[in-house]
Amino acid sequence: MNRDYKLLTPGPLTTTRTVKEEMLFDHCTWDDDYKAITQKIRADLLELAHCNPSEYTTVLMQGSGTFGVESVLTSVIGADEKVLLCTNGAYGDRQVKICEHAGIDYVQYAEPYDRIPDAAHVAEILDNDPSITHVSMIHSETTSGLLNDIESVARVAKAHDCTFIVDAMSSFGGVDIPVADWGIDFLVSSANKCIQGVPGFSFIICNTARLEASRGKARSLSLDLWDQWNTLEKDGGKWRYTSPTHVVLAFNRALDEMKAEGGIPARSARYATNNRMLIARMKALGFGTFLKEHQGP
Ligand SMILES: *Cc1c(COP(=O)(O)O)cnc(C)c1O
């Protein structure tokens, strides 16, 4: 078997040898020095999200990205609340599935896979249905590589006093997102995408007040967002249940390597260059892009 190839998937992706080497160390999940790493990661992520620790907090959650999305949807939308799901790809459709499974009240606003949800239409839906309390959408729809306009939808959600949830799985770290300025309340991403770590956990940037208000709403024990946060806070970085220690060490290294590269601006520029190069050279081979506009890096 040829093991010398590069992964061109959005994640898991080819990581550096040094990120992988971090995993040679066996850490205990409750040791103070390990908990300090967890706390550093939480602080680093808030900084990358342009969030102030007095208003925002980071929760780390075991599992792949979907576990993080499911954790948020099933933890912050109460039994008497309702979410508007704006979809234009497979990951938006997955949110519909999560709501179906958990019995969460939802309405879906679906656009075709090459079109972006329109903020004016979102406003119309919210005007006509005051029972909607949450709005959720995908930032980079990995299905097509489309980058949605979350800023304008966030503005509409805020104007209607709705909690705004974003799946930024394949954009966070690769595209700069001013989470606080745009009024995003819950943003989900994972270890194995643009931060370039290995798979094993997701992370959620949370508006602390909205997170606190969700206490007691969770439908799942292990995916209870508030409870996970509460343990991280009161036990100084301890995860509720066994954490993926090797993956966390690798992620910590990946964050340091990202800083050394020049942070999100440098990474974003590199991805954009790769994207342009790929499109140009594939075009020379006779391939076209599926998207005519809104192409993400
Ligand atoms: C990768 C990804 C997810 C998570 O998928 P997993 O299969 O759980 O890793 C969710 N949303 C988007 C947009 C993604 O790209």
Side-chain angles (χ1 to χ4, degrees):
M1 187 179 101
N2 173 20
R3 301 185 71 185
D4 184 26
Y5 60 77
K6 299 254 186 269
L7 288 175
L8 293 176
T9 52
L13 34 72
T14 297
T15 52
T16 59
R17 172 167 289 276
T18 39
V19 161
K20 286 184 279 247
E21 277 169 357
E22 286 295 306
M23 294 188 285
L24 293 173
F25 188 74
D26 300 311
H27 233 306
C28 177
T29 190
W30 298 334
D31 282 349
D32 285 342
D33 47 358
Y34 175 73
K35 290 195 296 188
I37 296 170
T38 291
Q39 295 297 64
K40 175 196 166 272
I41 288 173
R42 294 177 67 210
D44 281 0
L45 289 172
L46 269 196
E47 210 175 303
L48 287 176
H50 307 283
C51 289
N52 191 315
S54 65
E55 278 181 290
Y56 278 83
T57 187
T58 314
V59 181
L60 309 177
M61 185 62 76
Q62 294 92 334
S64 76
T66 305
F67 292 66
V69 174
E70 185 152 7
S71 170
V72 171
L73 293 177
T74 60
S75 296
V76 310
I77 305 164
D80 51 354
E81 296 177 313
K82 187 176 182 177
V83 62
L84 169 64
L85 303 173
C86 308
T87 68
N88 56 345
Y91 290 100
D93 293 341
R94 192 175 294 177
Q95 293 199 355
V96 173
K97 235 176 177 172
I98 290 170
C99 289
E100 285 283 346
H101 269 261
I104 296 168
D105 198 7
Y106 73 93
V107 278
Q108 182 179 7
Y109 159 33
E111 284 285 357
Y113 282 20
D114 59 348
R115 300 279 302 270
I116 62 168
D118 172 39
H121 189 59
V122 171
E124 211 172 287
I125 296 171
L126 296 179
D127 283 339
N128 292 329
D129 187 350
S131 69
I132 296 172
T133 48
H134 295 66
V135 175
S136 180
M137 72 186 286
I138 315 294
H139 188 208
S140 166
E141 233 318 339
T142 319
T143 315
S144 59
L146 176 154
L147 199 64
N148 279 315
D149 176 10
I150 50 172
E151 185 183 3
S152 60
V153 176
R155 212 174 292 128
V156 167
K158 289 292 100 177
H160 289 77
D161 199 29
C162 287
T163 297
F164 189 50
I165 301 166
V166 172
D167 168 349
M169 214 67 66
S170 67
S171 56
F172 189 84
V175 176
D176 201 27
I177 310 172
V179 175
D181 282 356
W182 286 1
I184 300 168
D185 297 304
F186 297 94
L187 178 141
V188 191
S189 192
S190 76
N192 60 276
K193 287 193 168 153
C194 302
I195 309 283
Q196 299 181 185
V198 302
F201 71 93
S202 65
F203 54 88
I204 302 109
I205 310 290
C206 310
N207 175 302
T208 312
R210 301 255 175 177
L211 176 62
E212 280 174 333
S214 76
R215 182 177 186 175
K217 290 181 184 174
R219 292 161 174 79
S220 154
L221 173 70
S222 53
L223 295 176
D224 186 330
L225 188 68
W226 181 88
D227 207 31
Q228 180 87 339
W229 170 70
N230 186 47
T231 304
L232 283 166
E233 287 292 312
K234 78 174 165 39
D235 292 342
K238 179 181 168 294
W239 302 43
R240 264 184 321 163
Y241 308 132
T242 299
S243 69
T245 50
H246 301 85
V247 176
V248 169
L249 297 182
F251 187 75
N252 187 40
R253 173 75 194 195
L255 280 172
D256 290 344
E257 292 185 6
M258 182 172 182
K259 266 183 216 159
E261 184 182 344
I264 294 175
R267 183 151 296 183
S268 191
R270 174 162 64 83
Y271 287 178
T273 303
N274 288 349
N275 181 263
R276 273 193 300 272
M277 196 190 302
L278 193 62
I279 289 174
R281 299 203 182 156
M282 291 292 283
K283 194 172 174 195
L285 296 173
F287 293 89
T289 56
F290 169 70
L291 296 175
K292 300 304 166 219
E293 50 183 351
H294 313 299
Q295 176 76 55

